Amino acid sequence: MTMAAPVFEEFEPASDCACGGCVRQRRARTHTLPLKNGGHPAAHGARRALVLATAAGVVLGGGGGVAAAVTAPGHAAVRADDLVRADDPDPDAGQGSPQGGKGPLHGPAGKPPVGKPGAPAMKPIDRTTIINRAKRWVREQVPYSMSMYWRDGYRQDCSGYVSMAWNLGTNEWTGSLDTFATRITKEQLRPGDMLLFHNPDNPTNGSHVTIFGGWADYSHTYYTAYEQARPYTRRQITPYAYWNNADHYVPYRYKALAPDTPPTPTTPPATPTAPATPSEPVGPAGGPSSSAGYPGAGSFGPGANNAHVTRLGEMLAGRGAARFYGRGPGPRWGEADRLATKAFQEAQGWKGADADGLPGVGTWRLLVQKKGKDIPRSGQGGGIGTSAVPAYPGKGVFRPGQSGPEIERLGRQLVKKGFGKYYASGPGPRWDEADRRNVEAFQRAQGWRGAAADGYPGPETWRRLFA
């Protein structure tokens, strides 16, 4: 969830799209890399040419209509009725303001304006709905534009995206979004909140906003960000609070936030269900009538922070999952919890949705009652790894600016596996863009996409690479 304006070009995360257009964009960005990091010696002007060529692809007709659909190379064409011109189209969005101003839905060339920009009424909305609305634009791959409106009436830039996710009924900008919200602290962040950077020195050139989707690690160093940025809406693991200007992002919570509707309790069957044998596929969504004090699905998953997560991790560690935890277990749900839960589920012979890494009644019962099969040790099968796999050093090792022997060890293993084409020299002990791109190539070879193929090795990437 690449970057929308020059201020975001200090570090521009690579798009995970494999289409021809996005591949060409990533190739153009290598012109700005040093040769030792896998860059290309060609002139830096190639990137500027790419931005201009992309902007020229948006053809605006007379009378405020759209004369042609916007088609990114390699993407399906965007229907003409999905896009509407805004009040002040910018023919060179890559070099101008990263967002439009405050205004009603749709714009003058679309449907009649909805709502009054001066004092819109705030509609109650819960966190689940906010995230689901944010995911919808990710699924639809809404193209970034500060001069166009999507078919739901919201402007296709960062602040328009948050306006849509919060269902504000108007298109706000970074200078007005805070009036709909209450300032909170980093520790209070939960999915559906926003991280807002409003640049007071040049408000229309440099501001940005993301939707917080949950913490990605125990140390609260990375989080899942939903954002509207080039080339289209994305969901991406992002350093807190952002890739740059991190100290200027402020967390906020929507004022009219409604409580999430709890799941409807299931009525237990009249006839008790016979206890399941350990080999039964009792998956996360099902299980026997005895729940062994199962705290509910809402206690686990991204954003969860409670004692049940700690207990889960401790039980998993006692069943062979200790190696998944760099530290902890702790009360905040993280990727280590998901991988450990998944390994335990797979040890029971479960597959598909029954082994999704989220503990349900069946998983919880087996752990609490100390039944079922333990997670195989490394080298014992089960798809976990081999005895030759070295201990995973932790995600913090593989980040820009970090240096150490584990990075060089990773690089040499990438070369050994045939994923070292981005190294101009080395690999070496200092993490750089060439390392990230080689790791991304390896992750994609596993069939992973999106945040699972961001180029930063997690425990599963590490195990597969050294297996």
Side-chain angles (χ1 to χ4, degrees):
M1 2 168 247
T2 289
M3 297 291 85
V7 70
F8 302 130
E9 291 177 5
E10 296 173 16
F11 184 87
E12 185 169 22
S15 165
D16 59 18
C17 179
C19 76
C22 295
V23 168
R24 283 192 290 274
Q25 285 185 338
R26 289 196 294 273
R27 187 178 297 124
R29 280 198 292 272
T30 65
H31 288 254
T32 65
L33 294 173
L35 284 175
K36 71 182 183 67
N37 292 351
H40 193 279
H44 285 27
R47 182 172 185 178
R48 167 68 176 172
L50 176 62
V51 171
L52 292 175
T54 303
V58 181
V59 182
L60 301 178
V66 177
V70 178
T71 307
H75 285 303
V78 178
R79 296 182 306 172
D81 60 354
D82 287 346
L83 305 174
V84 181
R85 284 188 67 180
D87 295 335
D88 184 23
D90 186 345
D92 190 5
Q95 301 300 318
S97 164
Q99 61 173 328
K102 182 177 177 180
L105 289 183
H106 299 292
K111 301 177 183 178
V114 177
K116 297 179 180 179
M122 287 186 286
K123 308 169 189 175
I125 187 171
D126 58 55
R127 297 184 184 279
T128 300
T129 304
I130 291 173
I131 295 300
N132 285 339
R133 290 174 67 89
K135 287 180 177 178
R136 186 175 65 199
W137 273 30
V138 175
R139 289 194 305 270
E140 295 177 352
Q141 295 190 338
V142 176
Y144 175 89
S145 175
M146 62 182 171
S147 62
M148 293 290 182
Y149 294 85
W150 195 238
R151 55 177 169 264
D152 56 14
Y154 288 97
R155 193 176 55 244
Q156 296 165 214
D157 60 5
C158 62
S159 48
Y161 180 53
V162 175
S163 300
M164 179 278 300
W166 282 4
N167 196 24
L168 297 183
T170 55
N171 280 290
E172 301 301 319
W173 73 309
T174 55
S176 62
L177 280 171
D178 65 318
T179 62
F180 295 83
T182 302
R183 185 166 180 170
I184 58 176
T185 65
K186 175 184 177 181
E187 291 71 25
Q188 294 172 319
L189 275 167
R190 290 191 60 198
D193 297 333
M194 74 171 175
L195 287 164
L196 176 68
F197 167 41
H198 181 64
N199 184 354
D201 297 327
N202 192 352
T204 61
N205 190 13
S207 304
H208 191 52
V209 61
T210 71
I211 297 171
F212 181 82
W215 293 111
D217 62 353
Y218 288 117
S219 62
H220 287 191
T221 306
Y222 292 85
Y223 69 102
T224 300
Y226 293 88
E227 63 177 329
Q228 183 66 0
R230 276 190 175 78
Y232 44 75
T233 321
R234 70 186 181 190
R235 172 187 179 273
Q236 178 167 283
I237 303 300
T238 303
Y240 186 85
Y242 202 67
W243 302 95
N244 50 32
N245 296 308
D247 294 339
H248 299 291
Y249 280 77
V250 179
Y252 284 93
R253 178 165 298 157
Y254 182 51
K255 287 181 180 178
L257 188 68
D260 283 309
T261 304
T264 303
T266 304
T267 303
T271 304
T273 305
T277 62
S279 60
E280 280 185 79
V282 184
S289 58
S290 174
S291 64
Y294 178 61
S299 299
F300 307 104
N305 183 350
N306 55 69
H308 302 302
V309 177
T310 302
R311 186 185 180 193
L312 172 75
E314 291 171 347
M315 290 191 294
L316 287 167
R319 303 297 296 272
R323 65 181 180 274
F324 290 89
Y325 294 94
R327 60 178 183 176
R332 297 186 179 90
W333 179 270
E335 182 67 2
D337 296 296
R338 188 190 69 79
L339 290 172
T341 303
K342 182 177 177 66
F344 179 76
Q345 292 166 337
E346 290 176 341
Q348 314 313 310
W350 305 342
K351 300 183 182 301
D354 290 333
D356 61 357
L358 296 173
V361 174
T363 302
W364 186 262
R365 181 186 67 85
L366 292 178
L367 288 170
V368 170
Q369 297 181 359
K370 299 182 179 179
K371 295 183 178 180
K373 300 177 181 178
D374 289 347
I375 300 170
R377 294 196 304 270
S378 295
Q380 287 188 331
I384 303 302
T386 70
S387 57
V389 177
Y392 176 62
K395 289 185 177 180
V397 172
F398 309 106
R399 298 297 171 190
Q402 296 298 313
S403 182
E406 297 89 353
I407 296 175
E408 185 171 359
R409 185 177 194 176
L410 172 81
R412 295 190 182 282
Q413 188 69 9
L414 285 165
V415 173
K416 182 178 178 181
K417 291 280 189 175
F419 294 91
K421 69 176 182 179
Y422 293 106
Y423 289 122
S425 62
R430 186 172 181 81
W431 179 266
D432 59 25
E433 181 65 5
D435 294 300
R436 192 199 66 78
R437 294 177 70 188
N438 284 326
V439 172
E440 180 184 11
F442 176 78
Q443 291 168 332
R444 287 186 169 280
Q446 314 308 304
W448 303 340
R449 295 293 183 269
D454 61 0
Y456 296 99
E460 184 64 19
T461 300
W462 183 268
R463 281 192 298 276
R464 293 195 182 197
L465 185 60
F466 284 92

